[in-house]
Amino acid sequence: MKGRVSAYDVAKLAKVSQTTVSRVLNNYPHVRKETRKRVHDAINTLGFSPDEIARSLASKKTNTIGLIVEDISNSFYAETAHIILREAQKYDYEVIIIDAETDENSFERAINTLNGKRVDGIIVASARMDNQKVKEFYDKGFPIIFYNRRIYGIEESHYVEVDNRLGAKIAVNHLVENKHRKIAFISGPTIYSTFYQRFEGYKEALQENGLEYDESLIYKGEVIYEQVFQFALNLMRDKEMPTAFFASTDQMALAIMDAAARSGRHIPYDISIIGFDDIEIASNPYIGLSTISQRKREMAVLTLQKLFSLINKDDSNSEPNKITLEPELIIRKTTGVNNQ
Amino acid sequence: MKGRVSAYDVAKLAKVSQTTVSRVLNNYPHVRKETRKRVHDAINTLGFSPDEIARSLASKKTNTIGLIVEDISNSFYAETAHIILREAQKYDYEVIIIDAETDENSFERAINTLNGKRVDGIIVASARMDNQKVKEFYDKGFPIIFYNRRIYGIEESHYVEVDNRLGAKIAVNHLVENKHRKIAFISGPTIYSTFYQRFEGYKEALQENGLEYDESLIYKGEVIYEQVFQFALNLMRDKEMPTAFFASTDQMALAIMDAAARSGRHIPYDISIIGFDDIEIASNPYIGLSTISQRKREMAVLTLQKLFSLINKDDSNSEPNKITLEPELIIRKTTGVNNQ
């Protein structure tokens, strides 16, 4: 057991929240006798004095962390957020989610709001890769960890990501193995590390397979369903249409599937589609989307653990956490052999 | 223009945030000259003195509201949360989301956490209908509004909901019109007003159509994909299986579609399925789920507007807001005529 006096340990042993520990020590009126006893027993068992615990509670910890996402209606964020929220509760932590744009001003505003709410640390799910604002907060020693999307050029930044470049290469190789030679690429803005890396992986895989890069098969715009749908529909109406689509996210793959239905193309006989993320709906039998798994549960759990290490300064070394997980190919029914 | 001095009006006119107004009035260093001028111009235009505005800013407003949901990975909550978050930003408000269980203890803890974060008001998307804890907070005059799920027995409670009973009747009637006489009902726990009302509507519709209520066709358990899937699969493997399923949520309808695929039943020839909510994926052509729309955008926007009225005490009368929207039948491709 660590030497550090911890209300957390008391709370855990007494099976109550830290707030309850605090209430007991401050003789707050509405606490049941039995709860009061459990807390005092726990303090005795751990060999602390109530005063020590009270002092530790007076420290700055709020047992609240912040989570910044770009669009909570995007299933990838919603599903990882849920994992983070429920996992955090096991540590008696509450999570405040902020849904914000990713430009530096919005980012700063979101961080400041969370700071004003006195969170102990922040998880950022979406930031532009050139975001330099975060340096200010690292300089102040504030625990911030990125997951999914990382930033570049800030030495001290912590992140947990999937190998997006490798994931894209695996996706393209899967299509090439199925005899596809004309592969469209649908991406969100490459100001994000995820889309940037996936685009790089796509180009690399084309080159390694001796395929030509064709600008007219590339969408790199906003992640807006209608726009992706329209772009895919236009390509599909062309006689010389690509036989396969690699979508940078499953949400965009759904828009492409929609365009295939609209243009009367049969999946996977006329057209193959592969996504990225493995959101829950991808495995529904009526969707059955082939995709690259981000291993979102591992990513979310790992991010949270690393954040807690930062908050508690548990790490003996002070190296930034830079973690890249391996992606995984999941073949379902939207990809097949090219017959043309 | 109202007599009340409002930093909000100044911020709006000057096109800056209230934080910026505050910074200008407190001679905070990092504010651009031009911004400073815009704020002072706005104060002059509105006929206030800077002192009045400063005093108003010293009031308790934090321009932050809280949103309590049960499971942010559920698309209904994720999609409405996103609408609320983005809509709130137009009012220069930030939203803190808390994902919590719905028992009274968790509810109280969530409200206390948000209170500790000094939010101006709270939106609750999910609470058990017998929750009496909320009365304490209403007694203290704290603005809390329920949407989606309401509570019973608290006179002063504010809510925005859809007419769930009517929605269920519309769903069942649609199935009966398609000659279905054996209709299974899949529901979450009826401790929630949504599920309770939908169950009532289902029973009422059966009675009005002269159909028998059959306990063996009813699932009223936890909203867990695997469990719903298994229940539906068991029914479908029976020779005497129901020809139609009414699922209380679209998420549960997806699990039933999955069971249909697994048992080789063709939708809608062998089996009809109708959901409730109209989450985004329901309209995907490969899903094409018939459903009852909750009109979630209207519900979310209305809830937010009502909360702001409560926060700003705009309502001349002090009647609680009790709003029930009409649901809407959306027929897609999972429901059809019973041929058996």
Side-chain angles (χ1 to χ4, degrees):
Chain A
M1 134 118 247
K2 285 183 202 166
R4 201 163 58 82
V5 176
S6 161
Y8 170 75
D9 296 322
V10 174
K12 204 172 157 187
L13 189 64
K15 294 200 172 90
V16 297
S17 70
Q18 290 193 49
T19 313
T20 305
V21 174
S22 166
R23 284 180 179 165
V24 169
L25 294 176
N26 292 308
N27 293 310
Y28 200 86
H30 305 298
V31 181
R32 278 185 304 162
K33 216 171 164 182
E34 184 210 312
T35 309
R36 213 175 277 280
K37 186 174 178 317
R38 279 222 308 276
V39 169
H40 281 293
D41 285 352
I43 291 172
N44 287 336
T45 307
L46 292 168
F48 295 134
S49 77
D51 273 0
E52 281 175 301
I53 300 294
R55 265 198 306 278
S56 118
L57 277 166
S59 78
K60 277 176 299 180
K61 290 278 175 60
T62 60
N63 271 42
T64 312
I65 57 171
L67 170 62
I68 302 176
V69 299
E70 188 191 357
D71 171 3
I72 198 64
S73 73
N74 176 323
S75 299
F76 174 75
Y77 293 121
E79 290 167 14
T80 49
H82 186 63
I83 297 167
I84 289 172
L85 290 156
R86 290 304 165 101
E87 201 64 27
Q89 282 179 355
K90 295 184 193 162
Y91 296 83
D92 202 33
Y93 257 84
E94 298 286 349
V95 182
I96 294 172
I97 306 180
I98 290 197
D99 182 309
E101 298 287 345
T102 58
D103 58 287
E104 284 193 352
N105 283 345
S106 301
F107 177 80
E108 190 183 13
R109 188 172 145 177
I111 298 256
N112 282 335
T113 299
L114 287 171
N115 248 333
K117 302 296 164 197
R118 297 182 59 235
V119 296
D120 297 338
I122 295 175
I123 295 175
V124 182
S126 181
R128 299 187 186 184
M129 63 192 188
D130 62 352
N131 181 324
Q132 300 298 306
K133 271 282 173 206
V134 68
K135 192 159 178 359
E136 290 173 24
F137 298 100
Y138 278 126
D139 287 346
K140 291 178 195 153
F142 199 76
I144 298 179
I145 187 159
F146 292 82
Y147 87 93
N148 176 44
R149 292 174 177 171
R150 54 177 284 205
I151 49 168
Y152 288 96
I154 307 282
E155 198 46 57
E156 51 273 70
S157 87
H158 303 264
Y159 62 80
V160 179
E161 63 169 4
V162 81
D163 190 335
N164 290 291
R165 180 192 298 255
L166 178 61
K169 290 177 73 169
I170 292 170
V172 174
N173 285 336
H174 169 61
L175 295 170
V176 171
E177 278 160 20
N178 279 288
K179 307 204 170 107
H180 295 280
R181 322 251 336 136
K182 199 166 179 180
I183 301 167
F185 178 63
I186 310 297
S187 172
T190 48
I191 51 173
Y192 301 111
S193 67
T194 43
F195 293 134
Y196 175 78
Q197 292 172 10
R198 290 170 201 175
F199 186 40
E200 291 297 302
Y202 166 77
K203 287 187 290 189
E204 247 177 74
L206 287 190
Q207 201 167 32
E208 285 173 16
N209 288 292
L211 299 177
E212 219 172 293
Y213 174 78
D214 178 350
E215 191 74 53
S216 72
L217 302 180
I218 311 293
Y219 175 93
K220 274 195 306 181
E222 292 301 316
V223 184
I224 295 172
Y225 191 94
E226 240 343 284
Q227 286 181 17
V228 171
F229 171 80
Q230 207 53 56
F231 179 86
L233 196 61
N234 287 343
L235 281 186
M236 286 175 197
R237 281 176 175 161
D238 195 329
K239 256 191 189 162
E240 300 287 298
M241 74 157 191
T243 60
F245 281 75
F246 168 35
S248 243
T249 72
D250 288 350
Q251 298 268 8
M252 292 198 284
L254 291 173
I256 300 167
M257 289 178 75
D258 196 347
R262 187 75 60 93
S263 62
R265 306 287 182 181
H266 196 289
I267 302 169
Y269 307 104
D270 303 327
I271 201 159
S272 282
I273 300 170
I274 187 166
F276 206 116
D277 283 347
D278 197 28
I279 58 176
E280 271 165 33
I281 194 69
S283 64
N284 179 286
Y286 295 89
I287 297 292
L289 181 66
S290 295
T291 190
I292 302 293
S293 167
Q294 289 237 50
R295 294 162 66 190
K296 56 183 188 292
R297 169 162 286 279
E298 270 168 276
M299 197 194 278
V301 170
L302 208 51
T303 304
L304 198 60
Q305 282 171 357
K306 293 300 172 188
L307 184 67
F308 286 138
S309 304
L310 291 177
I311 291 173
N312 297 318
K313 301 185 175 61
D314 280 347
D315 270 341
S316 45
N317 66 39
S318 57
E319 287 293 298
N321 295 291
K322 296 183 189 298
I323 297 169
T324 303
L325 298 170
E326 280 223 358
E328 196 186 336
L329 172 66
I330 296 178
I331 303 172
R332 295 199 179 97
K333 53 179 215 184
T334 57
T335 48
V337 178
N338 176 20
N339 309 304
Q340 288 166 35
Chain B
M1 134 117 253
K2 287 180 200 168
R4 202 164 57 83
V5 176
S6 163
Y8 171 74
D9 295 323
V10 173
K12 203 172 157 187
L13 189 64
K15 296 198 172 89
V16 298
S17 70
Q18 290 192 49
T19 313
T20 304
V21 173
S22 166
R23 283 179 178 165
V24 168
L25 295 176
N26 292 308
N27 294 310
Y28 200 86
H30 305 298
V31 182
R32 278 185 303 163
K33 218 170 161 180
E34 186 211 309
T35 309
R36 216 174 274 281
K37 187 174 177 317
R38 280 222 307 277
V39 170
H40 281 293
D41 285 352
I43 291 172
N44 287 334
T45 306
L46 293 169
F48 294 134
S49 78
D51 273 1
E52 281 175 299
I53 300 294
R55 265 199 305 278
S56 115
L57 276 166
S59 78
K60 278 176 299 178
K61 290 278 175 60
T62 60
N63 271 44
T64 312
I65 56 171
L67 169 62
I68 302 177
V69 298
E70 188 191 357
D71 171 3
I72 197 64
S73 73
N74 176 323
S75 298
F76 173 75
Y77 293 122
E79 291 166 15
T80 49
H82 186 63
I83 297 166
I84 289 172
L85 289 157
R86 290 305 165 100
E87 200 65 25
Q89 281 179 356
K90 295 184 191 161
Y91 296 83
D92 201 34
Y93 256 84
E94 298 287 348
V95 182
I96 294 172
I97 307 179
I98 290 196
D99 182 308
E101 298 288 346
T102 58
D103 58 285
E104 284 193 352
N105 283 344
S106 301
F107 177 82
E108 190 184 14
R109 187 172 146 177
I111 298 257
N112 283 335
T113 299
L114 287 171
N115 249 333
K117 303 296 165 196
R118 297 181 59 233
V119 297
D120 297 339
I122 295 175
I123 295 175
V124 182
S126 183
R128 298 187 186 184
M129 64 190 188
D130 62 352
N131 181 325
Q132 300 297 305
K133 271 281 173 205
V134 67
K135 191 156 179 2
E136 290 173 23
F137 299 99
Y138 278 126
D139 286 346
K140 291 178 196 156
F142 198 76
I144 298 179
I145 186 161
F146 292 82
Y147 86 94
N148 177 44
R149 291 173 177 172
R150 54 177 284 207
I151 49 169
Y152 289 96
I154 308 280
E155 198 47 58
E156 50 272 70
S157 88
H158 303 263
Y159 61 81
V160 180
E161 63 168 4
V162 81
D163 190 335
N164 291 291
R165 179 191 298 255
L166 178 61
K169 288 177 74 169
I170 293 171
V172 174
N173 285 336
H174 168 62
L175 295 171
V176 171
E177 278 161 20
N178 279 288
K179 307 204 169 103
H180 295 279
R181 322 248 339 135
K182 198 166 179 178
I183 301 166
F185 178 63
I186 309 297
S187 171
T190 47
I191 51 172
Y192 302 111
S193 68
T194 43
F195 293 134
Y196 175 78
Q197 291 172 10
R198 290 170 201 175
F199 186 40
E200 292 296 303
Y202 166 78
K203 287 187 290 188
E204 247 177 74
L206 287 190
Q207 200 167 33
E208 285 173 17
N209 288 292
L211 300 177
E212 218 173 295
Y213 174 78
D214 179 351
E215 190 75 51
S216 72
L217 302 179
I218 311 293
Y219 175 94
K220 275 195 303 181
E222 292 301 317
V223 184
I224 294 172
Y225 191 95
E226 239 345 280
Q227 286 181 17
V228 172
F229 171 80
Q230 206 54 55
F231 179 86
L233 196 61
N234 288 342
L235 280 185
M236 286 177 197
R237 281 177 174 160
D238 195 327
K239 256 190 188 163
E240 300 287 297
M241 74 159 193
T243 61
F245 281 75
F246 168 35
S248 244
T249 73
D250 288 350
Q251 299 267 8
M252 291 197 285
L254 291 173
I256 300 167
M257 290 179 74
D258 196 347
R262 187 74 62 93
S263 61
R265 306 286 180 181
H266 196 291
I267 302 168
Y269 306 105
D270 303 327
I271 202 158
S272 282
I273 299 170
I274 186 165
F276 207 115
D277 282 347
D278 197 28
I279 57 176
E280 272 165 34
I281 194 67
S283 63
N284 179 286
Y286 294 89
I287 298 291
L289 180 66
S290 295
T291 190
I292 303 294
S293 168
Q294 289 238 49
R295 295 162 65 191
K296 56 183 189 293
R297 169 161 287 280
E298 271 168 275
M299 196 195 277
V301 170
L302 207 52
T303 304
L304 200 60
Q305 283 171 357
K306 294 298 171 190
L307 184 68
F308 286 138
S309 306
L310 291 177
I311 292 172
N312 297 318
K313 303 185 173 61
D314 280 349
D315 270 341
S316 45
N317 66 38
S318 58
E319 287 294 300
N321 295 291
K322 296 183 189 298
I323 297 170
T324 303
L325 298 169
E326 281 224 357
E328 196 186 336
L329 172 65
I330 297 179
I331 302 171
R332 296 199 179 97
K333 53 178 214 184
T334 57
T335 48
V337 178
N338 176 22
N339 308 305
Q340 289 166 34

